[in-house]
Amino acid sequence: MPRALILSLSSHSEGDGANRLPPLRVWQQQQALADAGWDVHHIEFMRFKAPPIGQFVKRALLFRKTIRAMVASALKADRPDLIITHDIETLPAAVRVAKVFNVPLIYDSHENWPALISNNSRLEACIAALMERRMLRHIDCVMTVSPSIAARFRGLGKRTTVLYNARRASEMATMPKSEARKELGLDPDDIILGFIGNLHELEKGNMIEDLFDVLFKLPPNVKVLIVGGPDDLAEVFKWKAEDSGVEDRVICTGRLPFKKLAPYYGALDVGLVLLRPIPGYIESIGWKFFDYIGRGIPVLVPDFPDLSWMVEKLGCGWTYHDGSRYLFGRLEDIVLLPATERARLGVNGLTAFASLYAWEKQAWKFVTLCEWLTRKR
């Protein structure tokens, strides 16, 4: 039985409980390998509390100490046939352990890490880019989440494959629109724009203010449904809706369990992916995009290269340019469309998701890559 060792950072904080699941992308890979007959060992490291940006020496020393602890922990595992490492913070430890065990290494880079880090520190972004490039020669294959990030690694001469952040089709629970709206107290004639996800995305760059300003100018039957956490930020959004004069047209629930989201997805006419053009966002295709199209909901996305390409390729929605006047113009066009046209685009996305992007359609590609690398070595 082949054995895989997966290294990742935790998506939780200390005290969240012993029964928590690992990050979804890690969990999917664990299950796919286990279903294919692999013995999978996962080591999850807590995110270390680093000193603030600016205290570079302290941050560097703590990072070095953390890497040593990661290496010591990983070397206690039984010898694997393959190592998969997630997040740039675990990469140096994974490279050292792969050398000791003399086994192939996959680097799952589900962000453009140097670009993302540049939002906090240009110096640390340059160091991260140099470190990542230096480590690449010890990596057998890179996996990532979008064509743009894949192109960056291929340009550096590294074998790279794209595995999109998409759930299983069986997880795409929804509800007929009429039932969902009755349950949520919405009118059949309402046009519901929805954002379901991490509210920090709407907070960045005052995106939520733009959305409420646009909503104020749209017909009164257009409403916005916002579901997500953190809950204190959801409360802030409710106050901002009052300030914008649209509180009677905004439903903001706070965080809800995934299993209870079916009526909220079922009520939507349009799924919103609202992001500022911030480094680290521009090249990514996140879970939210596939969570919408996997339920037959047409999407409105920023005109970032990968998202624009995907929407045009699938014919599943629309794009907008950054700025409230562009967002208003696009939403004004969308709400004036016949409901049948919006539904048609939703069906396009659902068809593509079911046939190409659902995790069960990608898992074989992941397992085949792992098997090929172990045979090759």
Side-chain angles (χ1 to χ4, degrees), residues 61-223:
L61 290 173
L62 181 57
F63 183 67
R64 185 180 180 186
K65 180 180 178 182
T66 303
I67 294 303
R68 287 177 175 172
M70 289 180 179
V71 171
S73 178
L75 287 176
K76 293 178 183 177
D78 291 335
R79 185 187 183 281
D81 299 292
L82 173 72
I83 297 175
I84 303 168
T85 191
H86 294 251
D87 309 301
I88 195 170
E89 291 97 327
T90 67
L91 183 56
V95 166
R96 292 187 198 179
V97 174
K99 285 182 179 179
V100 171
F101 287 132
N102 190 29
V103 295
L105 172 62
I106 295 176
Y107 173 37
D108 192 341
S109 178
H110 30 89
E111 306 281 357
N112 180 343
W113 288 108
L116 197 63
I117 293 168
S118 72
N119 291 303
N120 293 322
S121 168
R122 294 180 68 180
L123 171 62
E124 292 190 23
C126 291
I127 293 169
L130 289 170
M131 181 188 78
E132 191 176 61
R133 183 172 295 197
R134 181 169 168 263
M135 297 288 172
L136 278 179
R137 66 178 181 269
H138 305 294
I139 294 168
D140 294 87
C141 183
V142 175
M143 293 190 306
T144 190
V145 297
S146 74
S148 289
I149 300 177
R152 181 171 73 88
F153 285 111
R154 287 170 184 151
L156 295 171
K158 186 54 58 178
R159 177 187 297 276
T160 306
T161 190
V162 177
L163 288 179
Y164 293 100
N165 280 329
R167 305 175 198 269
R168 289 182 175 274
S170 59
E171 297 177 65
M172 297 291 105
T174 186
M175 183 182 288
K177 188 167 291 186
S178 58
E179 294 179 26
R181 294 195 172 191
K182 184 177 180 180
E183 181 171 325
L184 299 180
L186 298 168
D187 294 333
D189 294 332
D190 287 340
I191 298 175
I192 308 299
L193 314 176
F195 179 95
I196 300 177
N198 189 325
L199 301 190
H200 285 302
E201 294 177 13
L202 291 177
E203 182 188 32
K204 290 183 187 295
N206 299 319
M207 194 77 237
I208 192 67
E209 282 88 346
D210 278 4
L211 178 60
F212 289 161
D213 288 346
V214 166
L215 180 62
F216 185 81
K217 301 172 188 175
L218 292 172
N221 68 322
V222 180
K223 298 177 181 177

Side-chain angles (χ1 to χ4, degrees), residues 232-243:
D232 57 347
L233 194 53
E235 290 300 316
V236 171
F237 286 1
K238 291 178 185 178
W239 301 334
K240 290 186 176 183
E242 291 180 15
D243 290 343

